[in-house]
Amino acid sequence: MIKSSRSCPICNTQSSEAKLFLKKNIDPTQMSAFSFASRKLPEFMCHQLVQCPTCDLVYANEPPDQAILAHAYHVADFDSAQEADDAAAAYERAVQPVLNKLTNKGAALEIGTGTGIFLESLKSKGFGTLIGVEPSSAAIAAAPAHRQAWIREAVFKESDFQHESFDFICCFMTLEHVPNPHEIVSAASRLLRPGGAIALVTHDYRSPINRFLGRRSPIIDIEHMQLFSPVSIRQLLQRNGFESIEVNSFKNCYSLRYWIRLLPIGLGLKLKMIKRLDAVGLADTKLSFNVGNMISFGYRPK
């Protein structure tokens, strides 16, 4: 039996009914200014994770205090601008089907916007009002000035926005990091106008590559308060009233340099491989792979 201060953040099943997924594995000597930064070198550390028997969510049943998390993201370093641009390009391709179905493109909100690069894409798609919320000062500082004008440095709070004021809300690789993903998706259902859409990008812990790598997968991370599967992300959207839900895998496209950084091998070998690829001019070659990420859509009923 699992003792816990946190029940399942999707379905509220008591974690005394949950199954242990991974034991806590945190080495304070391995912590750095990048431990809460996006697209860092994998550290393979995690809080204790349990698996909900009702909705299939894997989550930290004894997470750190929300104020501690907020501070960690506020002061985290940022050194992944190119990877952020590459990720945004993949998200743009993956989200196009939902954008094609939207009849109104007045306002868009991105929760966890980073440098705001995806907002740039939404502007090119015809959205008039663009707002991004981002807690990391370093990520915002890395954005060009015109994007910084769209970004609010904060942790997302529903009370900062008017209900039914957005046509599209997106949250990419952020739901794993927040204390209460249900709270965010529930808020989105009220902030969207009728017929508006939400798009979520998350890891899929049940994908073949993540199951194969196990505890050596990059998704095993001290930042992650929960990990989703197709079943759990669909339940999250259904429980908050969204309809016409779709959950699909998609490919990410990054440089060989970045893919090597993610490999579950020693840092010295990684650096040697990158050095050799640099020597022959191949380190920045872009390759696309399905690495166990999924994009989920839902629509607020009209």
Side-chain angles (χ1 to χ4, degrees), residues 36-52:
F36 286 82
S38 61
R39 301 174 188 91
K40 63 188 178 184
L41 283 167
E43 297 166 328
F44 308 115
M45 294 191 291
C46 66
H47 301 280
Q48 177 169 276
L49 298 174
V50 299
Q51 185 178 31
C52 178

Side-chain angles (χ1 to χ4, degrees), residues 132-143:
V133 178
E134 173 56 47
S136 170
S137 299
I140 297 171

Side-chain angles (χ1 to χ4, degrees), residues 147-190:
R147 276 194 236 144
Q148 290 184 18
W150 302 334
I151 303 173
R152 302 181 183 184
E153 185 177 340
V155 172
F156 170 77
K157 291 191 298 184
E158 179 181 356
S159 58
D160 290 340
F161 305 96
Q162 291 186 344
H163 286 184
E164 298 190 356
S165 57
F166 295 100
D167 301 292
F168 181 67
I169 295 176
C170 57
C171 187
F172 299 149
M173 293 303 186
T174 298
L175 281 186
E176 287 96 342
H177 302 247
V178 300
N180 193 335
H182 177 86
E183 188 176 85
I184 288 183
V185 176
S186 177
S189 71
R190 293 182 288 273

Side-chain angles (χ1 to χ4, degrees), residues 24-32 35 43-46 222:
K24 182 177 180 180
N25 174 32
I26 298 176
D27 181 355
T29 66
Q30 298 300 310
M31 300 286 287
S32 72
S35 289
E43 297 166 328
F44 308 115
M45 294 191 291
C46 66
I222 194 172

Side-chain angles (χ1 to χ4, degrees), residues 250-261:
F250 69 98
K251 292 182 178 181
N252 287 91
C253 184
Y254 292 114
S255 67
L256 270 172
R257 182 191 312 277
Y258 181 67
W259 287 127
I260 290 171
R261 287 176 61 186

Side-chain angles (χ1 to χ4, degrees), residues 8-27:
C8 175
I10 290 182
C11 68
N12 209 36
T13 297
Q14 295 298 307
S15 58
S16 59
E17 302 177 34
K19 180 174 69 174
L20 181 65
F21 187 80
L22 277 179
K23 292 181 179 179
K24 182 177 180 180
N25 174 32
I26 298 176
D27 181 355

